[in-house]
């Protein structure tokens, strides 16, 4: 009904249509008083960066989950009652199963469009949690969780936990052999909690495993309780984002006090709306061609049937791995016991998520940085944070691999015990190594001014008398933001040799970059040389942190910024 | 369309007419139109497939084209044909000191209501709410009719002295039924809790096993099938090594030595069900299990 004027119509038609749109807006405003709020919303500016799409994927897959989930709920039977199957899927005829399992088989084979909906639902769940995870990594490594956004970090983390829990409940509902085994493990893990564990599982399951009212209760939790919580927190998450406005990367005129990007209306609405449909399209394509959770192959759950190679969905896999790597310790107290599963299944994830919840406050304590931030860090500029994050991800990754240790053992034709022992060692060694390597790489990278940008090509020209000259090529029009500044080797960039007398004059006048000199003196290798220089003490860092590594490591080129205190600096700016 | 010498600012300060990102709007319109048309075409295919009985693969692909066509068209429209920007907006200040001061004052407006002796009222209100919350938690007890700490000790209590070993179909197990190396899941007759009563009968040898000859007649040995780690059914028997493996977390038990844990996270051996052969050659339990089965729990003190 609106947004014309840009699509190539004649000016006259545009004017007419615009009038129509405007009159509709007036019509609504007179009845609802929208003008102030909605205009604010339409003018809301979204900074442009591809990584800001990750949260949107999560949001959109949640919508897909609701739509497909409603369809599935019309056919699913939440009953643990046992029946004998006489349906259309021949291999299972005459097999004893619950009505929950039977209805899932029916959805897959007898309900038209049922299988594609079921598979879309499952894929969307996997994409939902995956997108949340990657979105969280983006927020973590770029420091988007810093003041004033600590609250939204904790809300986001809670959303992730709720999403994982709901994924697990949904995965358990069909009552197939694989998910039933997973439920049995979950039961034992929660039963292992000291003092209240046995009560918790009895409250949830209604009694000893498998319990009397399990499917009815799981369905209420899966369809009502958790989605409602997710919806509420999601709304809070988005409202807080709108209130605080998005963060943005420095550059292209972005400062701590402005937002540079595309307004909601019409550009962003069109792009993001299109993105919603594209997320839907990818999910549908996966559902069409990539089979997922073929429960008819696993068979119905029977507590005494044995599964082999049982892997849960990936977001639970790291907990499975944690259970598998745990040595067989159990704590005995007088008259009481803390079972083995408590330590890897409850204590470890509990500790990890507490650290994650507290991380914004921990980092702010370590760096002493209490100022609000709207500009993001490049990960390399915060080596300690990047190292910690990389180490944490490695830890999760090893646990995830360990969740498939039996498959690795078969694949590598290696005894399971060896695989487990290697993974046990790696679990503690690999994160440290990865963390330190990341830390060191980030430190080195952050010393290189404008590291990661492209160098302008030099064209070697041979003259008629055989002499060679190098001439810098023309800049590519689209490359402006990615290119190194064509600067000669300056005083400040010369290597330090010995003694204070040779230390480059950092306080001297800023270098200008006369482009004509590029290529004739020392066209390449400047960053390499300057790496050495950066070992000299740079301009004083703004933080007074306890751990220097957590502070900002970025050293800006003297001619390019405002000295050591860059635009994303830890202190001073933005308050 | 794009050539406006002096951009006119609208009410919000955005220029009214702006450059768009593509130099060739005509082509962009064609591409976007084709994208939308593809989506419409796929809708018809999708509808036709559905009426023909459906096919998950084609449905998925057609849905992808339907959504993808709309999605690509919209995104391209936004990217190529709408004002390119970049737009700059000053951030709203979240709060000012003046505002904060006023907010604090507004908030403390209620102070007068709880000053002096009136503070008792506040304390009483909090107390009432606290007790209300406590009493509202009571119905949680309705979620289960049992006290777990009493029930858990009865796990596996389907097994009594002299219980016959039967299969899941109720067929009694004879001492000739298994070859050496054979396994069978057995239950007590009319088991009310097959999840916890499940027991793995293994013929580990042709003669009673040395570690406990009186409980293993004819080389038959029976262990609880519920793993002491996380409750999975322990069912992978490797006859040549005499080892029993849990498929869930890889715990390995030594069948020939009382199911001692050889490897993996299981903290305790599987419980042994002592066997005997009755006069007709059928297998029976000498007595029931003498310990709670399965994974540990808080009130289960000590080792066996």
């Amino acid at each position: 009904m609106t947004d014309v004027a840009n699509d190539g119509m004649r000016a006259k038609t545009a004017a007419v249509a615009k009038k129509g749109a405007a009159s509709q807006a007036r019509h609504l405003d007179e009845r609802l008083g929208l003008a102030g709020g909605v205009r604010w919303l339409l003018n809301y500016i979204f900074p442009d960066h591809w990584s800001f799409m990750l949260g949107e994927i999560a949001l959109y897959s949640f919508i897909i989950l609701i739509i497909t989930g409603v369809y599935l709920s019309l056919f699913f039977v939440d009953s643990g009652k046992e029946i004998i199957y006489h349906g259309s899927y021949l291999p299972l005829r005459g097999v004893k199963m619950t009505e929950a399992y039977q209805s899932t088989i029916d959805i897959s084979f007898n309900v038209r469009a049922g299988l594609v909906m079921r598979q879309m639902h499952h894929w969307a769940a996997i994409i939902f949690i995956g997108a949340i995870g990657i979105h969280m990594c983006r927020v973590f490594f770029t420091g988007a969780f810093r003041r004033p956004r600590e609250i939204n970090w904790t809300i986001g983390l809670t959303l992730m936990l709720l999403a994982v829990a709901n994924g697990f409940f949904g995965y358990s509902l069909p009552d197939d052999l694989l998910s039933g085994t997973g439920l049995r493990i979950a039961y034992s893990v929660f039963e292992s909690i000291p003092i209240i564990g046995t009560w918790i599982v009895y409250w949830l399951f209604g009694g000893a495993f498998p319990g009397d009212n399990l499917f009815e209760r799981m369905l209420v939790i899966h369809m009502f309780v958790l989605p409602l919580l997710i919806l509420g927190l999601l709304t809070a998450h988005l409202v807080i984002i709108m209130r605080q406005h998005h963060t943005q990367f420095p550059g292209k005129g972005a400062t701590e006090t402005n937002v540079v990007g595309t307004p909601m209306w019409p550009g962003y609405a069109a792009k993001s709306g299109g993105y919603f449909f594209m997320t839907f399209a990818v999910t549908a394509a996966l559902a069409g061609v990539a089979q997922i959770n073929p429960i008819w192959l696993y068979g119905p759950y029977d507590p005494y049937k044995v599964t082999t190679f049982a892997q849960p969905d990936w977001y639970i896999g790291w907990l499975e791995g944690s259970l598998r790597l745990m040595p067989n310790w159990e704590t005995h107290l007088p008259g009481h016991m803390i079972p083995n599963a408590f330590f890897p299944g409850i204590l470890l994830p509990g500790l990890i998520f507490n650290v994650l919840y507290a991380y914004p406050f921990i980092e702010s304590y370590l760096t002493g940085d209490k100022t609000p931030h709207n500009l993001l860090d490049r990960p390399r500029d915060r080596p300690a944070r990047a190292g910690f994050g990389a180490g944490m991800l490695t830890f999760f990754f090893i646990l995830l691999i360990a969740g498939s240790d039996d498959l690795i053992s078969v694949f590598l034709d290696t005894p399971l015990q060896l695989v487990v022992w290697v993974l046990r060692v790696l679990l503690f060694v690999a994160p440290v190594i990865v963390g330190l390597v990341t830390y060191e790489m980030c430190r080195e990278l952050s010393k290189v001014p404008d590291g990661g940008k492209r160098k302008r090509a030099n064209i070697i020209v041979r003259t008629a008398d055989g002499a060679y000259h190098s001439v810098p090529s023309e800049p590519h029009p689209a490359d402006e933001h990615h290119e190194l500044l064509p600067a000669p080797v300056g005083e400040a960039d010369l290597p330090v040799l010995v003694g204070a007398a040779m230390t480059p004059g950092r306080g001297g006048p800023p270098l200008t970059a006369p482009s004509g000199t590029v290529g004739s003196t020392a066209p390449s290798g400047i960053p390499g040389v300057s790496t050495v220089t950066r070992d000299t003490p740079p301009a004083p860092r703004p933080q007074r942190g306890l751990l220097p590594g957590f502070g900002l490591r970025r050293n800006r080129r003297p001619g390019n910024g405002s000295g050591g205190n860059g635009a994303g600096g830890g202190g001073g700016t933005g308050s | 369309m794009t050539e406006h010498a002096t951009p006119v600012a609208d009410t919000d300060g955005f220029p009214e007419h702006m450059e768009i990102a593509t130099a060739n709007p005509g082509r962009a319109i064609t591409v976007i139109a084709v994208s939308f048309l593809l989506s419409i075409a796929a809708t018809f295919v999708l509808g036709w497939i559905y009426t023909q009985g459906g096919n998950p693969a084609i449905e998925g692909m057609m849905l992808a084209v339907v959504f993808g066509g709309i999605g690509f068209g919209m995104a391209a429209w936004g990217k190529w044909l709408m004002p390119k920007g970049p737009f700059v907006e000053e951030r709203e200040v979240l709060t000012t000191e003046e505002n904060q001061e006023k907010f604090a004052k507004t908030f403390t407006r209620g102070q007068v209501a709880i000053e002096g002796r009136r503070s008792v009222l506040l304390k009483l209100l909090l107390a009432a709410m606290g007790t209300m919350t406590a009493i509202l938690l009571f119905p949680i007890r309705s979620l289960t009719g049992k006290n777990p700490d009493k029930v858990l000790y009865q796990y596996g209590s389907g097994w009594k002295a002299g219980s016959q070993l039967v299969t899941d179909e109720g067929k009694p197990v004879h001492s000739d039924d298994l070859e050496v190396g054979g396994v069978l899941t057995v239950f007590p007759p009319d088991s009310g809790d097959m999840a916890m009563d499940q027991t793995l009968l293994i013929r580990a040898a042709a003669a009673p096993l040395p570690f406990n000859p009186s409980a293993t007649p004819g080389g038959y040995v029976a262990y609880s099938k519920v793993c002491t780690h996380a409750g999975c059914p322990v069912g992978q028997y490797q006859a040549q090594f005499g080892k029993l493996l849990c498929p869930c977390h890889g715990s390995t038990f030594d069948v020939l030595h009382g199911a001692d844990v050889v490897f993996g996270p299981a903290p305790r051996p599987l419980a042994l069900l002592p066997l005997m052969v009755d006069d007709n050659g059928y297998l029976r339990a000498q007595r029931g299990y003498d310990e709670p089965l399965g994974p540990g729990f808080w009130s289960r003190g000590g080792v066996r």
Side-chain angles (χ1 to χ4, degrees):
Chain A
M1 65 177 186
T2 50
D3 66 71
V4 274
N6 285 313
D7 59 2
M9 286 192 196
R10 296 262 172 262
K12 197 177 157 194
T13 13
V16 171
K18 215 173 169 187
K19 202 173 158 198
S23 90
Q24 293 214 8
R26 289 205 183 88
H27 176 90
L28 282 173
D29 182 41
E30 275 158 20
R31 282 152 187 83
L32 301 169
L34 297 174
V38 174
R39 213 182 82 234
W40 177 87
L41 192 68
L42 299 184
N43 284 336
Y44 184 94
I45 289 198
F46 290 85
D48 284 322
H49 192 263
W50 65 267
S51 65
F52 299 162
M53 291 285 180
L54 296 167
E56 283 181 48
I57 300 182
L59 175 65
Y60 298 149
S61 23
F62 183 63
I63 297 173
I64 299 174
L65 281 170
I66 293 177
I67 296 172
T68 52
V70 166
Y71 187 79
L72 295 177
S73 72
L74 302 175
F75 302 99
F76 181 73
V77 181
D78 57 336
S79 159
K81 198 181 144 209
E82 291 203 323
I83 46 106
I84 304 288
Y85 183 73
H86 297 295
S88 64
Y89 184 63
L90 295 179
L92 285 177
R93 276 206 187 156
V95 173
K96 192 177 69 176
M97 58 179 65
T98 56
E99 288 183 325
Y101 184 79
Q102 187 195 28
S103 67
T104 315
I105 294 280
D106 284 346
I107 289 173
S108 306
F109 292 125
N110 298 350
V111 175
R112 244 182 234 191
L115 183 60
V116 84
M117 288 286 187
R118 219 197 100 214
Q119 301 204 129
M120 270 179 87
H121 195 70
H122 202 127
W123 274 117
I126 286 176
I127 294 173
F128 181 44
I129 300 169
I132 295 177
I134 303 174
H135 172 64
M136 263 184 62
C137 290
R138 197 282 290 173
V139 168
F140 180 88
F141 285 107
T142 59
F145 55 81
R146 290 173 299 173
R147 189 172 181 175
R149 297 182 175 78
E150 309 97 322
I151 300 174
N152 240 9
W153 166 261
T154 52
I155 292 180
L157 205 52
T158 312
L159 276 170
M160 179 184 213
L161 292 178
L162 292 175
V164 168
N166 216 22
F168 185 76
F169 279 118
Y171 171 82
S172 299
L173 277 171
D175 196 33
D176 58 278
L177 189 53
L178 217 51
S179 71
T181 310
L183 263 184
R184 182 65 182 96
I185 298 170
Y187 183 95
S188 309
V189 168
F190 282 100
E191 191 186 24
S192 73
I193 301 174
I195 306 173
I196 51 169
T198 50
W199 282 101
I200 288 179
V201 286
Y202 266 57
W203 287 331
L204 180 62
F205 287 72
F209 187 83
D212 309 323
N213 324 91
L214 181 57
F215 292 98
E216 294 90 330
R217 288 181 183 181
M218 281 204 306
L219 193 69
V220 171
I221 295 171
H222 178 74
M223 269 175 52
F224 183 72
V225 179
L226 290 180
L228 218 57
L229 282 174
I230 291 176
L231 201 62
L233 285 175
L234 190 61
T235 312
H237 199 71
L238 296 179
V239 167
I240 292 175
I241 289 174
M242 301 288 276
R243 178 74 188 119
Q244 297 174 332
H245 277 247
H246 280 65
T247 51
Q248 58 190 347
F249 281 101
K252 303 182 190 177
T255 69
E256 288 281 2
T257 54
N258 71 4
V259 195
V260 180
T262 317
M264 168 77 104
W265 191 256
Y268 196 81
K271 280 198 273 187
S272 192
Y275 201 57
F276 165 68
F277 281 102
M278 286 198 262
T279 312
F280 224 122
V282 170
T283 314
L286 282 170
V289 298
Q291 187 183 64
I292 190 153
N293 203 23
I295 53 142
W296 54 90
L297 299 180
Y298 307 150
Y301 177 62
D302 233 333
Y304 51 90
K305 289 263 170 64
V306 174
T307 54
T308 49
F309 298 154
Q311 266 72 40
D313 274 354
W314 69 271
Y315 48 86
I316 299 287
W318 64 280
L319 285 171
E320 169 84 2
S322 154
L323 285 173
R324 290 189 189 201
L325 290 192
M326 181 72 190
N328 64 343
W329 303 332
E330 206 163 59
T331 309
H332 300 288
L333 309 164
H336 294 289
M337 153 193 284
I338 304 178
N340 178 282
F342 174 72
F343 303 101
I346 301 284
L347 192 63
L348 177 84
L351 285 176
I352 289 177
F353 276 92
N354 272 310
V355 170
L356 289 180
Y357 270 113
Y359 188 82
F361 310 102
I362 296 176
E363 191 188 288
S364 137
Y365 174 74
L366 290 177
T367 57
D369 176 8
K370 313 280 185 209
T371 50
H373 293 277
N374 291 318
L375 285 179
L376 296 170
D377 290 326
R378 289 189 308 177
R380 74 177 67 148
D381 295 329
R382 298 282 187 173
R385 181 201 293 150
F388 175 78
M392 203 74 162
L393 286 178
T394 313
F395 189 79
F396 278 116
F397 183 67
I398 301 279
L399 285 179
L400 184 62
I401 298 181
S404 302
D405 58 4
D406 48 354
L407 290 181
I408 297 173
S409 153
V410 169
F411 181 73
L412 297 179
D413 200 11
T414 312
L416 181 66
Q417 308 195 359
L418 181 64
V419 175
V420 167
W421 269 111
V422 168
L423 288 173
R424 277 177 184 168
V425 173
L426 276 181
L427 183 65
F428 294 100
V429 175
V432 175
I433 293 175
V434 170
L436 287 176
V437 168
T438 310
Y439 177 82
E440 210 39 55
M441 275 170 59
C442 289
R443 266 167 49 96
E444 291 296 323
L445 271 172
S446 66
K447 285 172 184 168
V448 182
D450 300 318
K453 289 191 175 182
R454 227 167 284 165
K455 272 175 264 172
R456 182 88 56 84
N458 281 296
I459 300 168
I460 311 284
V461 184
R462 190 183 169 203
T463 56
D465 50 359
Y468 289 93
H469 296 285
S470 72
V471 184
S473 63
E474 286 297 307
H476 192 278
D479 264 5
E480 286 161 33
H481 298 298
H482 308 291
E483 269 197 355
L484 276 174
L485 289 175
V489 179
E491 210 188 335
D493 287 324
L494 287 172
V496 191
L497 296 178
V498 138
M502 300 292 285
T503 313
R506 218 161 227 297
L511 290 164
T512 47
S515 55
T517 57
V518 177
S520 53
T521 48
S524 64
I526 296 170
V529 174
S530 61
T531 319
V532 188
T533 1
R534 301 301 169 183
D535 281 340
T536 58
R541 245 175 258 122
Q543 302 87 5
R544 44 171 178 83
L546 299 176
L547 280 184
F550 274 90
L552 193 78
R553 295 299 300 200
R554 177 184 226 164
N555 293 311
R556 299 188 50 105
R557 227 179 154 74
N560 192 19
S562 50
N565 185 4
T573 47
S575 50
Chain B
M1 193 175 66
T2 60
E3 309 83 25
H4 284 264
T6 45
V8 190
D10 72 0
T11 46
D12 296 312
F14 293 116
E16 265 206 348
H17 298 281
M18 283 160 289
E19 217 184 327
I20 54 173
T22 177
N24 192 348
R27 214 180 103 207
I29 292 171
T30 314
V31 171
I32 295 167
V34 166
S35 179
F36 288 152
L37 283 173
L38 264 177
S39 170
I40 294 173
T43 313
F44 284 106
V45 179
L46 186 65
W48 183 74
I49 288 291
Y50 182 85
T51 58
Q52 297 305 304
N55 174 315
I58 302 177
E59 281 164 8
M61 291 317 294
M62 285 305 118
L63 275 174
V65 180
V66 170
F67 295 129
I70 295 176
F72 177 80
M74 280 177 73
W77 194 350
K79 196 172 164 57
W80 292 337
L81 296 177
M82 290 187 189
K84 177 171 80 162
F87 300 87
V88 182
E89 183 190 11
E90 285 307 303
R91 260 173 215 279
E92 293 166 63
V93 184
L94 278 180
T95 186
T96 60
E97 262 179 39
E98 192 193 344
N99 256 345
Q100 215 169 57
E101 204 52 43
K102 282 182 185 165
F103 175 60
K105 273 207 178 115
T106 315
F107 205 73
T108 47
R109 188 189 294 154
Q111 198 71 38
V112 64
I114 52 166
E115 271 167 3
R117 283 182 56 204
R118 293 165 204 161
S119 67
V120 179
L121 296 180
L122 183 68
K123 284 168 194 158
L124 278 176
L125 177 65
L126 290 178
M129 286 189 168
T131 45
M132 177 193 75
T133 311
I135 199 74
L136 286 182
L137 285 177
F138 270 43
I140 207 174
R141 184 65 177 80
S142 310
L143 289 174
T144 177
K146 297 148 199 154
N147 178 344
D149 291 338
K150 288 182 182 149
V151 182
L152 285 168
Y153 273 101
Q154 296 161 21
Y155 272 176
S157 59
W159 292 101
K160 311 264 187 272
S163 289
Q164 198 161 35
L165 274 61
V166 302
T167 66
D168 56 346
E169 285 156 353
K171 192 175 146 294
V173 182
H174 194 271
S175 56
D176 295 335
D177 280 358
L178 289 186
E179 302 283 330
V180 172
V183 292
L184 191 65
T185 306
V186 293
F187 304 87
D190 304 318
S191 167
D193 183 7
M194 289 170 89
M196 285 316 285
D197 283 342
Q198 55 172 312
T199 294
L200 196 67
L201 177 70
I202 303 170
R203 185 148 200 202
L209 303 177
F211 83 93
N212 192 346
S214 64
T216 58
Y220 280 98
V221 61
Y223 296 108
S224 163
K225 203 179 168 182
V226 187
C227 186
T228 54
H229 172 231
C232 289
V234 189
Q236 289 179 341
Y237 180 54
Q238 300 178 325
Q240 69 269 41
F241 307 114
K243 299 284 193 292
L244 191 56
L245 237 85
C246 179
C248 288
H249 306 106
S251 295
T252 312
F253 303 91
D254 187 350
V255 171
L256 302 176
H257 295 95
D260 280 343
V261 184
V262 182
F263 187 74
R268 276 163 284 118
L270 300 168
L272 177 82
L273 185 73
L275 298 177
M276 60 183 186
V277 180
D278 69 12
D279 300 340
N280 300 323
Y282 286 99
L283 288 168
R284 286 178 183 275
Q286 287 180 26
R287 53 178 192 277
Y289 288 109
D290 54 5
E291 62 177 306
L293 304 180
F297 49 94
W298 171 247
S299 51
R300 183 198 200 279
V303 209
R304 61 160 83 175

